[in-house]
Amino acid sequence: MRVLLDENINHTLKASFDNDFDVTTVADRGWQGTQNGALLKLAADEFDVFVTMDKNLQHQQNTQKLKLAIVVVRAYSNAYAVIVDMMPRVNKAVRHAQAGTITQVTDTT
C-alpha cells in the first residue's frame, strides 16, 4: 500500500508505519506548499492513502470522486510524542481505508 504523509504530519513517523506500507512524505515528492485540491489530485495518481492532520479537508474538498483514501489524525499536537502513541490505530485505519472515504483517528488522551 502506497501512503503519502501530508506536511503537517511529523516526517519521523514514517518509521512507525507498518513495514508493508510504502510511506512517502509530501516533502519527499517535492510537493511542499501545494494547495489541498491540487495535492489530492497528484496524490490520487500515485498513492492509495493520504494521511493528514487537516480536519477541515472534508469540508473543503470533494474527496468522494478521488481514487484515494484519506486518514485524518486528530490530536492536540503534531509532535512525535503525541502521534506515536496513536500509530497502532493509524496503521489500522490505513490498512482498512477505502478510496473516496475519509477515516478519522482521534487522540483518546
Side-chain angles (χ1 to χ4, degrees):
M1 183 165 304
R2 297 164 302 158
V3 179
L4 179 66
L5 302 185
D6 199 359
E7 290 179 83
N8 56 23
I9 298 287
N10 189 315
H11 72 278
T12 57
L13 288 165
K14 280 174 66 170
S16 298
F17 280 84
D18 289 346
N19 290 333
D20 59 330
F21 296 157
D22 179 13
V23 182
T24 304
T25 67
V26 167
D28 291 340
R29 297 293 294 133
W31 294 341
Q32 306 95 308
T34 304
Q35 296 298 311
N36 281 341
L39 180 60
L40 291 175
K41 288 177 185 170
L42 287 169
D45 288 339
E46 296 184 34
F47 296 91
D48 302 302
V49 181
F50 179 63
V51 180
T52 184
M53 289 190 75
D54 186 349
K55 63 182 184 269
N56 293 318
L57 188 67
Q58 65 190 24
H59 305 295
Q60 299 166 347
Q61 304 295 324
N62 182 0
T63 58
Q64 294 176 344
K65 295 181 180 181
L66 292 175
K67 297 183 305 182
L68 180 72
I70 299 172
V71 173
V72 178
V73 178
R74 297 193 64 161
Y76 66 90
S77 168
N78 71 341
Y80 177 87
V82 173
I83 306 300
V84 74
D85 290 338
M86 299 174 64
M87 287 309 296
R89 290 181 288 129
V90 171
N91 279 307
K92 184 177 180 180
V94 167
R95 188 164 306 282
H96 294 98
Q98 299 292 314
T101 66
I102 297 176
T103 304
Q104 295 191 31
V105 179
T106 304
D107 182 11
T108 57
T109 60

